[in-house]
């Protein structure tokens, strides 16, 4: 069996009422992954100070974190949800969803929402569970909490809106799509008065009041001869600058969309599984081979590519100050230059894997490890 793109076991689900797991055997890859490149001595060209640490239960894929101002909300796989003041490194509240989690946490700073492995949407406010509602299917994308509403995307391509206080469902948009969906966090973000979601390889602009579509823009189109090869779901973090959102299509491309009219600015071939970050000039991402790439935001042309982390399993980058901050499953946190990808520094929070993309809350870079370590760093 020879797939154009090999996906690790349990990364894809067959859409539909049963949501049957598709098992892809490692033998399909044809060969083992090459050995990672040796790292040079730590250059320590910039200062990185650990400001604080908080402990939560262990964190497993595909959990994500959320930020709102100075508050970062994190979740452990067992259903523990914690809001942290990122400037002080102090817990604001801690609660339990009552069951293990399937998707990460969404929050507006006061209300948080998570999805359990039992397909329950759970809303929490100030450390207390407000309500729980059963969903139609599994969810791997963190809910979006905005405007006192909770928006949810499930693996059957449905998007729904729920009243934040009562838990009443306000609307649901249901679609048909490709037979497979990723068992990874997708795209769900608010841009002005538009809810922007990733559906297949498209960004879709939705009216948050009633769920009607305003526009659709393809970043990648399904291709190939079987369901695996045609899988191009948008995945991971996005880069927003003004009204433009840049996102990654799984092992297919990276592209940018102008969200007022829903017009595609550009789309370029790329081979990665995690999201992107960016600034006014560039979009940054990590490819499946461990290389770090900067695309020009204006036209998508490659500005530079760095291969010193080749064959390493990396998170999407976080652009902060003069550096990109990238986690690795070996437990290392890498700091590289935004100008050319040069290595600047690296630290090891607690030795366990970093699979959650770092986030910036206030003046603090927040990193979550597999062991449940939540670390606040302040680069120079």
């Amino acid at each position: 069996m020879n797939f154009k793109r090999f996906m690790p076991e349990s990364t894809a689900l067959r859409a539909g009422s049963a949501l049957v797991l598709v098992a892809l055997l490692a033998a399909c890859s044809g060969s083992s992954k090459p050995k990672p490149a040796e790292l040079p001595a730590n250059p320590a060209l910039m200062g990185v100070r650990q400001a604080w640490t908080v402990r939560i239960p262990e964190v497993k894929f595909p959990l994500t974190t959320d930020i709102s101002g100075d508050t970062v909300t994190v979740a452990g796989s067992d259903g523990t949800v914690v809001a942290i003041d990122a400037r002080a490194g102090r817990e604001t509240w801690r609660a339990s969803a009552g069951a293990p989690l399937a998707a990460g946490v969404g929050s507006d700073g006061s209300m948080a929402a998570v999805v359990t492995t039992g397909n329950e949407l759970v809303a929490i406010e100030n450390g207390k569970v407000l309500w729980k509602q059963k969903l139609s299917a599994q969810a791997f994308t963190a809910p979006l909490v905005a405007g006192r509403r909770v928006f949810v995307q499930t693996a059957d391509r449905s998007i729904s809106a729920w009243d934040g206080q009562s838990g009443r469902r306000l609307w649901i948009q249901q679609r048909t799509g490709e037979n497979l969906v990723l068992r990874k966090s997708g795209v769900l973000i608010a841009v002005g008065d538009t809810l922007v979601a990733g559906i297949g390889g498209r960004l879709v602009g939705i009216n948050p009041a009633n769920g009607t579509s305003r526009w659709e823009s393809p970043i990648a189109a399904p291709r190939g001869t079987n369901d695996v090869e045609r899988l191009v779901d948008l995945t991971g973090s996005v880069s927003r600058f003004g009204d433009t959102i840049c996102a990654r299509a799984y092992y297919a491309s990276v592209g940018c969309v102008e969200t007022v009219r829903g017009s595609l600015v550009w789309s370029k071939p790329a081979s990665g599984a995690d999201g992107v970050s960016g600034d006014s000039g560039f979009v940054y991402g990590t490819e499946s081979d461990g290389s770090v790439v900067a695309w020009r935001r204006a036209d998508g042309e490659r500005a530079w590519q760095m291969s010193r982390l080749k064959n390493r399993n990396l998170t999407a980058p976080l652009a902060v100050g003069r550096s990109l901050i990238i986690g690795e499953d070996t437990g290392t946190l890498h700091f590289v230059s935004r100008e050319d990808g040069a290595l600047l520094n690296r630290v090891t929070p607690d030795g366990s894997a970093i699979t959650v993309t770092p986030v910036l809350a206030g003046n603090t870079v927040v990193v979550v490890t597999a062991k449940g370590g939540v670390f606040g760093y302040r680069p120079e």
Side-chain angles (χ1 to χ4, degrees):
M1 189 157 42
N2 181 25
F3 292 147
K4 292 181 181 178
R5 299 188 305 276
F6 170 70
M7 293 187 302
E9 185 176 357
S10 301
T11 59
L13 289 174
R14 187 167 297 279
S17 59
L19 289 173
V20 179
L21 180 65
V22 177
L24 297 177
L25 301 180
C28 298
S29 65
S31 62
S32 59
K33 188 169 183 176
K35 183 179 179 181
E38 288 291 332
L39 290 175
N42 187 1
L45 296 177
M46 62 175 288
V48 179
R49 179 173 65 89
Q50 181 182 316
W52 51 262
T53 182
V54 171
R55 303 298 303 185
I56 63 174
E58 66 177 359
V59 177
K60 300 177 181 178
F61 175 86
L63 298 178
T64 55
T65 60
D66 196 13
I67 55 173
S68 179
D70 292 338
T71 299
V72 59
T73 308
V74 298
S77 295
D78 71 343
T80 300
V81 182
V82 182
I84 302 168
D85 180 332
R87 289 188 180 270
R90 180 182 64 250
E91 289 188 26
T92 304
W93 53 258
R94 180 178 288 240
S96 174
L101 301 184
V105 59
S107 175
D108 62 2
S110 60
M111 178 184 295
V114 293
V115 179
T116 72
T117 54
N119 299 353
E120 270 195 325
L121 172 63
V122 183
I124 301 170
E125 188 170 46
N126 296 322
K128 295 183 179 180
V129 173
L130 283 180
W131 49 263
K132 298 181 180 182
Q133 292 287 0
K134 192 74 172 179
L135 298 175
S136 60
Q138 292 174 289
F140 303 108
T141 299
L144 171 68
V145 182
R148 304 303 295 175
R149 295 183 178 188
V150 180
F151 301 93
V152 180
Q153 183 178 46
T154 49
D156 61 358
R157 307 288 188 188
S158 296
I159 297 176
S160 55
W162 307 77
D163 182 86
Q165 287 302 307
S166 67
R168 179 175 62 90
R169 194 177 75 184
L170 303 174
W171 55 259
I172 184 169
Q173 183 193 98
Q174 295 176 304
R175 289 173 174 247
T176 57
E178 299 299 320
N179 289 330
L180 296 186
V181 293
L182 279 180
R183 193 187 180 103
K184 288 175 67 71
S185 181
V187 175
L188 197 62
I189 185 174
V191 182
D193 64 348
T194 300
L195 174 66
V196 179
I199 300 177
R202 309 182 304 281
L203 275 180
V204 178
I206 299 170
N207 184 338
N210 56 24
T212 57
S213 294
R214 289 174 169 166
W215 50 260
E216 296 190 11
S217 185
I219 287 180
R223 62 192 189 281
T225 59
N226 58 53
D227 289 343
V228 173
E229 293 176 345
R230 293 175 60 81
L231 187 60
V232 291
D233 284 359
L234 302 187
T235 180
S237 56
V238 300
S239 170
R240 178 187 174 189
F241 187 80
D243 292 323
T244 301
I245 288 181
C246 302
R248 179 186 293 279
Y250 185 75
Y251 277 84
S253 59
V254 168
C256 294
V257 171
E258 189 276 317
T259 61
V260 174
R261 294 177 298 275
S263 55
L264 180 67
V265 180
W266 56 263
S267 179
K268 298 291 183 179
S271 181
D274 290 297
V276 296
S277 182
D279 52 34
S280 60
F282 302 96
V283 178
Y284 308 100
T286 54
E287 300 292 82
S288 58
D289 65 357
S291 60
V292 184
V293 179
W295 295 269
R296 292 200 309 237
R297 195 175 198 100
D299 57 15
E301 295 301 316
R302 291 198 177 195
W304 54 259
Q305 179 170 334
M306 185 270 282
S307 299
R308 297 303 294 270
L309 304 178
K310 194 172 179 64
N311 299 326
R312 296 177 180 273
N313 294 321
L314 307 174
T315 68
L318 170 68
V320 176
R322 64 189 181 105
S323 65
L324 299 177
I325 304 171
I326 304 166
E328 185 185 346
D329 67 352
T330 61
T332 303
L333 189 66
H334 301 275
F335 296 76
V336 306
S337 170
R338 285 163 76 166
E339 292 184 359
D340 56 10
L343 301 179
L344 299 177
N345 205 339
R346 62 178 178 266
V347 298
T348 303
D350 64 9
S352 66
I354 304 171
T355 59
V356 178
T357 301
V359 297
L360 181 67
N363 63 343
T364 305
V365 174
V366 180
V367 179
V368 182
T369 70
K371 286 182 178 177
V374 186
F375 295 84
Y377 288 101
R378 298 201 177 122
E380 68 176 21

